[in-house]
């Protein structure tokens, strides 16, 4: 039902601004979730010690509709509770005993689901496949509404943009922050370059948007271009620079037009951040750049100098 409200908003937006601004707009970015990004809101500091940087994040699959959807997904895949039991090694007696993983709270850090590496089990692999597929379904539905809303109006033919986050923390340890956000799943080899180090399904989702009838060009935006590996030391366990290039390589492999963005405003006052941005634009497959919070560029002499130089270099 919420899709109708999204559609109504986009139609109203086009009606209000289309005639005056359509000729000036090169791209319309479609918000697909928290912070405008296709992701689960897993890294929220209010989630009782499990959310916020640089925690693993809180898995978002425990509402009544989410639980029902997981049960339906499992029964579609396996056909019966008996087959579910055989696949997962469980002894369930009724379909309503199918449930997302438990043992994920702050008190379970040393002995819970992840501590026991159960996310690598068949059950864990199935759950996180469902988890990511549900996120992709949501993203595709919203983009379909945008394509339909703009197909016959003033914004017809204008490129659309969709954004995914660079969840770069904990990458050097367990990569659970990316897992909780829905960026990767367990049945894809995280160490394999040919599988995008876990990002092949996500880039594949973006590539699939081209199949939406009447879709214009659709660009994928990825964040954290300014960041270094281990920028935050042992605290963050970040491999942000590696992540930027992994995603760039996978986007090139699947023919997805990729744009970049800085994750935070603060670092762009340094030459290091601009060196990283320029390296991504020069050596990876990023075709454009969005600078988050332009006011911070104008308030930093270094940022303004490097931004002006980059614009000149890209002309």
């Amino acid at each position: 039902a919420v899709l109708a409200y999204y559609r109504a908003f986009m139609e109203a937006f086009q009606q209000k601004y289309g005639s005056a601004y359509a000729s000036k707009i090169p791209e319309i970015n479609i918000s697909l979730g928290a912070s405008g990004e296709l992701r689960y809101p897993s890294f929220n500091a209010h989630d009782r010690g499990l959310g916020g940087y640089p925690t693993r994040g809180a898995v978002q699959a425990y509402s009544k509709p989410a639980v029902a959807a997981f049960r339906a997904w499992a029964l579609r895949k396996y056909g019966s509770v008996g087959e579910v039991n055989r696949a997962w090694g469980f002894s369930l007696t009724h379909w309503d005993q199918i449930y997302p993983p438990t043992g994920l709270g702050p008190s379970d850090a040393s002995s819970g689901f992840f501590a026991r590496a159960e996310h690598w089990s068949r059950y864990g692999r199935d759950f996180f496949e469902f988890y990511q597929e549900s996120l992709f379904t949501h993203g595709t539905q919203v983009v379909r509404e945008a394509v339909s809303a703009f197909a016959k109006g003033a914004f017809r033919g204008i490129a659309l943009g969709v954004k995914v986050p660079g969840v770069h923390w904990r990458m050097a340890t367990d990569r659970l922050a990316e897992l909780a956000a829905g960026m990767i799943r367990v049945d894809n080899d995280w160490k394999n370059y040919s599988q995008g180090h876990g990002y092949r399904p996500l880039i594949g989702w973006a590539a699939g948007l081209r199949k939406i009838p009447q879709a214009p060009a659709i660009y994928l935006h990825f964040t954290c271009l300014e960041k270094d590996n281990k920028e935050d030391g042992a605290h963050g366990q970040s491999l942000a620079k590696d992540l930027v290039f992994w995603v760039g390589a996978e986007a090139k492999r699947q023919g997805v037009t990729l744009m970049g963005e800085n994750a935070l405003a603060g670092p762009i006052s340094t030459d290091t951040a601009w060196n990283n941005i320029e390296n991504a634009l020069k050596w990876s497959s990023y075709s454009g750049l969005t600078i988050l919070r332009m006011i911070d560029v104008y308030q930093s002499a270094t940022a303004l100098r490097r931004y002006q130089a980059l614009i000149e270099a890209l002309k």
Side-chain angles (χ1 to χ4, degrees):
V2 71
L3 291 172
Y5 292 98
Y6 294 161
R7 170 74 173 269
F9 172 80
M10 289 185 278
E11 290 175 340
F13 177 74
Q14 179 175 237
Q15 183 176 4
K16 175 71 174 179
Y17 298 107
S19 59
Y21 296 104
S23 63
K24 301 178 176 67
I25 297 174
E27 177 188 331
I28 300 172
N29 212 278
I30 307 300
S31 174
L32 300 179
S35 302
E37 300 167 333
L38 180 73
R39 66 172 174 89
Y40 287 104
S42 57
F43 42 96
N44 289 316
H46 60 251
D47 283 328
R48 295 187 294 177
L50 289 178
Y53 175 86
T55 70
R56 64 166 167 80
V59 173
Q60 307 285 308
Y62 297 93
S63 67
K64 289 182 179 179
V67 172
F70 179 49
R71 288 170 178 163
W73 184 93
L75 290 172
R76 281 196 304 272
K77 179 170 184 176
Y78 292 108
S80 69
V81 172
E83 290 301 314
V84 168
N85 285 336
R86 272 184 276 278
W88 295 352
F90 288 5
S91 55
L92 310 176
T93 59
H94 195 268
W95 71 273
D96 63 5
Q97 294 173 332
I98 296 173
Y99 202 77
T102 57
L104 293 143
S107 62
D108 300 305
S110 62
S111 61
F113 179 80
F114 289 121
R116 296 191 301 269
E118 290 184 17
H119 52 301
W120 295 108
S121 69
R122 182 70 264 168
Y123 165 65
R125 290 169 181 264
D126 278 342
F127 171 74
F128 282 106
E129 181 181 350
F130 154 79
Y131 190 66
Q132 189 180 61
E133 284 183 357
S134 298
L135 185 67
F136 291 169
T137 297
H138 159 77
T140 300
Q141 288 175 333
V142 177
V143 174
R144 282 184 180 275
E145 292 298 328
V147 170
S148 181
F150 300 148
K152 297 180 180 179
F155 292 155
R156 180 178 64 255
I158 294 177
L160 301 180
V162 294
K163 180 179 170 184
V164 294
V167 184
H168 56 86
W169 54 100
R170 298 185 69 114
M171 290 185 63
T173 52
D174 53 28
R175 300 193 66 179
L176 294 184
E178 297 161 90
L179 192 65
M183 299 299 97
I184 59 177
R185 64 198 199 199
V186 192
D187 63 348
N188 189 257
D189 188 348
W190 299 349
K191 297 180 180 180
N192 192 324
Y193 179 83
S194 68
Q195 295 193 35
H197 291 272
Y199 281 83
R200 187 173 65 175
L202 179 62
I203 302 301
W205 164 79
L209 297 176
R210 295 177 297 212
K211 298 177 182 178
I212 297 174
Q214 298 182 295
I218 299 178
Y219 305 145
L220 180 66
H221 292 251
F222 190 73
T223 64
C224 76
L225 263 67
E226 86 284 10
K227 298 186 74 65
D228 261 338
N229 284 348
K230 301 180 181 178
E231 183 173 290
D232 301 317
H235 177 64
Q237 293 294 304
S238 170
L239 294 177
K241 185 181 289 188
D242 286 351
L243 179 59
V244 166
F245 279 82
W246 291 349
V247 169
E250 186 61 27
K252 182 177 181 180
R253 189 156 40 237
Q254 297 198 41
V256 172
T257 301
L258 184 64
M259 306 292 184
E261 180 182 301
N262 59 306
L264 299 172
I268 63 170
S269 63
T270 69
D271 281 311
T272 298
W274 287 96
N275 291 342
N276 289 337
I277 289 171
E278 289 181 2
N279 282 340
L281 292 172
K282 182 177 182 180
W283 300 110
S284 191
S285 63
Y286 292 84
S287 301
L289 177 69
T290 298
I291 294 297
L292 185 67
R293 303 185 186 94
M294 282 297 297
I295 187 64
D296 294 286
V297 171
Y298 290 107
Q299 290 177 345
S300 164
T302 297
L304 184 58
R305 170 177 55 83
R306 294 298 300 269
Y307 179 69
Q308 290 173 327
L310 181 61
I311 296 298
E312 289 298 318
L314 294 176
K315 282 184 177 179

